[in-house]
Amino acid sequence: MSHGTADPREPDVLVHTEGRAGLLTLNRPRAINALTHAMVRAVDDALTAWEHDPAVETVVIRGAGERGLCAGGDIRAIHDDARAGGTATPAFWRDEYRLNARIARYPKPYVAFMDGIVMGGGVGVSAHGSVRIVTERSRVAMPETGIGFVPDVGGTHLLGRAPGELGTHLALTGAQAGAADAILAGLADHFVPAAALPELAAALTRLPAAEAVARFARPVPPGELAGRRSWIDACYAADTVEDIVERLSDSGVPEAKEAATVLLGRSPTALKATLEAVRRARRLDSLEAALNMEYRLSCAALASPDLVEGIRAQVVDKDRDPHWAPATLAEVTEEDTARWFAPRAAGELGLPAH
């Protein structure tokens, strides 16, 4: 996966073709390749160029450096924009979510190397692809509730379709899924050892994608979630976040009690919006419909105090001590949550539902 240290003169997305493949390398390794608006545009431009180019049969996306494909959106920039009451972030999300939808509908094999950290926006540029590769180093997560935000980039669509209540667990806690758990949850397809990724990339320039992947895919080492399905499915089926926390706390299972403790540290407002969003996404019939819903939620989060406070606590001051407002689940009413889903006077995402 390593492509050395990024040269400051290099672009943040390296775009080139080799053999039959178009290769995209997210190239901000010191930021774990966190996505900027310019990076989203660069990926989209490459997909436009390659979509009707007969020489490009397969698209591959990977991350520079050793730490991961992509840690998500550039949340420090979102924090600064939110504090300034800016408009840059909704414009970023608009293009990012449109790219997520495009990846899901792309007419050529889109192979994502989900090595290392793949979170938030990193999931958006990988888990909608047609061929999703995880390794023993993969840590796939939608950790948004920890910063007062909601799973976006089509995360509600993906997690809403996970078996049982696995998606609800991953959405609310932000827990990291290793290779087996990511495959079980429907976020990935194949396991390839990290050391073999350079060889796989080379093979993809010569062979059809399915043939190349078949040569390198291996049985996935066991994960954790399969053995936890019984309590996850029982506890997260409750109607409200309060009831979920109570079931987890009362289950007698140490891992379930740990999950309850995690939830009690998350933004109460974000938890309630997230639970509702995952459940609504299950009833929606397309990724585009979920992205349209998520755009409303993201813009609502941007206008709420918890997002700035959550990013401050996790990323800016790093004191890990967010002061949520409201501070408790009981204080967040159904009306409060419903407002997050309301149509936006300032404009909708407006993706056509397929």
Side-chain angles (χ1 to χ4, degrees), residues 139 156 210 346:
R139 297 291 177 270
T156 63

Side-chain angles (χ1 to χ4, degrees), residues 24 54 58 63 66 70 79 86 94 104 108 116 127 140 187 218-219 221 237 278 287 290 298 308 313 344 350:
L24 295 166
T58 299
E66 296 295 334
C70 175
H79 171 271
R94 180 175 288 276
K108 298 180 179 184
V140 184
L187 301 172
R218 299 289 178 267
V278 171
L287 169 62
S298 298
V308 167
R344 294 188 70 249

Side-chain angles (χ1 to χ4, degrees), residues 98 101 105 285-292 349-354:
R98 287 175 177 273
R105 304 278 178 194
D285 54 8
S286 70
L287 169 62
E288 287 80 2
L291 287 162
N292 287 338
L349 182 61
L351 280 172
H354 280 259

Side-chain angles (χ1 to χ4, degrees), residues 93-103 291 349-351:
W93 285 329
R94 180 175 288 276
D95 285 346
E96 183 185 25
Y97 299 174
R98 287 175 177 273
L99 174 62
N100 302 146
R102 180 177 199 174
I103 289 167
L291 287 162
L349 182 61
L351 280 172

Side-chain angles (χ1 to χ4, degrees), residues 29 90 107 109 118 130 167-168 192 216 232 246 275 301 344:
V118 186
S130 52
T168 314
V192 174
F216 290 92
I232 286 174
E246 188 174 333
L275 180 63
R344 294 188 70 249

Side-chain angles (χ1 to χ4, degrees), residues 235-262:
C235 295
Y236 287 94
D239 287 338
T240 66
V241 179
E242 290 94 329
D243 290 345
I244 289 170
V245 170
E246 188 174 333
R247 288 188 188 185
L248 290 167
S249 301
D250 294 346
S251 67
V253 179
E255 293 86 356
K257 289 187 175 181
E258 286 171 26
T261 302
V262 167

Side-chain angles (χ1 to χ4, degrees), residues 243-317:
D243 290 345
I244 289 170
V245 170
E246 188 174 333
R247 288 188 188 185
L248 290 167
S249 301
D250 294 346
S251 67
V253 179
E255 293 86 356
K257 289 187 175 181
E258 286 171 26
T261 302
V262 167
L263 293 181
L264 290 172
R266 299 288 189 251
S267 158
T269 303
L271 286 175
K272 292 204 170 181
T274 296
L275 180 63
E276 177 67 16
V278 171
R279 292 189 169 166
R280 288 193 186 201
R282 284 179 182 160
R283 302 192 294 269
L284 297 173
D285 54 8
S286 70
L287 169 62
E288 287 80 2
L291 287 162
N292 287 338
M293 173 186 73
E294 290 172 1
Y295 186 72
R296 293 179 178 180
L297 295 170
S298 298
C299 292
L302 192 65
S304 82
D306 279 3
L307 180 59
V308 167
E309 172 61 11
I311 298 174
R312 179 207 64 76
Q314 294 295 336
V315 177
V316 181
D317 298 337

